[in-house]
Amino acid sequence: HAGPDDSDAEPLEAEPLDAEIASSGPDDWITRMLKSPIFARLPVANIQRLFAAMEAVEVEAGHSVIQQGDVADACYVIKEGLCEVQRCLSRGEKGYKLAQLGPGERFGEEALVAGGVRNATVRTLTNCTLMRLDKASFHNLVVAPVLKSVSLVEAPGRLSAGARWLDVRYPDEQAESALPDSLDLPLNVLRQRAQSLDPSRRYIACCDNGIRAAVAAFLVTDAGCDCVYLAGGLEAYPEISRGRPPIEADAAPVGAPRTDAAQAAATPAETTTGRISDGRGAGA
């Protein structure tokens, strides 16, 4: 799937996929899509409903399917054709290439998970047939059964069983409340390295408010690892930076965001999206 990166990204030169497309069967996009670990975790009934909910969209070459800065309302799977992911560092600047996508590859999911705005533009390089999945169907059929959260009270049990903190904050944020024995990979770096994580290791993604951590958990799960995220983020548990063991009161801090997949499904009006749309957070 698409993983648009941040301002420190190097433009990617993808291998041409035209030959692959020419030799692909009409249903090859389905095979490629279902190879994703995300879909391997879905109940069969969900997969059937997912295909039923998809809408085929024909898009001519040179059109933007999603636009950087727009509110996310759907995600897409490429059935036929080629698309390119582009990112602009500042308004009015020409976008630079992040990735080239072909049949079976997905884009537009991260902003849906985060409840934020698009962090990249995806345009068609050829005439394309895209399978569109609306936001509600994506959350009900994919996010809800796959993306899981834990509270700080639940986290120690996972840590003692071998899980590790995956801190996706940036260095300046980590310096304020560092976690012991954490794997520190800011979200933009994690997009590049998720596939290299140890699939036998379990992770608990965390950030300041839980939004980037939800995206990280989705990415890491899609890379084949077991990952949950800390509900509400570290801001919901002010004592964690002092190393105090969690107590029962920590289970439901006042004002903490929801502790299930509904947190990830919240709309921009319901979540704090400042860090997501500032060029350091979630992707398209």
Side-chain angles (χ1 to χ4, degrees), residues 151-163 204 246:
S151 70
L152 189 60
V153 171
E154 298 169 299
R158 288 179 175 262
L159 295 171
S160 63
I204 305 174

Side-chain angles (χ1 to χ4, degrees), residues 162-182:
R164 186 178 185 185
W165 287 114
L166 175 59
D167 193 337
V168 298
R169 296 174 297 166
Y170 287 82
D172 57 329
E173 300 169 300
Q174 294 169 357
E176 297 176 3
S177 55
L179 294 172
D181 193 34
S182 63

Side-chain angles (χ1 to χ4, degrees), residues 152 176-180 234 237-246:
L152 189 60
E176 297 176 3
S177 55
L179 294 172
L234 298 172
Y237 307 98
E239 299 296 330
I240 192 171
S241 61
R242 305 174 190 175
R244 179 179 63 81

Side-chain angles (χ1 to χ4, degrees), residues 183-197:
L183 177 60
D184 301 334
L185 290 177
L187 189 58
N188 64 314
V189 177
L190 178 64
R191 291 193 186 98
Q192 301 172 352
R193 299 185 184 178
Q195 296 292 338
S196 65
L197 293 178

Side-chain angles (χ1 to χ4, degrees), residues 1 19 26 36 39 44 62-63 72-73 89 95 107 118 145 166-167 169 187 199 235 250 254 266 281:
H1 66 283
S36 163
F39 290 97
V44 173
H63 284 253
D73 61 352
L89 300 182
F107 60 88
R118 304 292 191 188
L166 175 59
D167 193 337
R169 296 174 297 166
L187 189 58
E235 291 177 350
D250 289 330
V254 177

Side-chain angles (χ1 to χ4, degrees), residues 24-44:
S24 297
D27 296 325
D28 194 58
W29 69 277
I30 296 177
T31 302
R32 296 186 187 186
M33 186 186 78
L34 294 180
K35 286 182 178 179
S36 163
I38 283 286
F39 290 97
R41 292 171 179 256
L42 295 181
V44 173

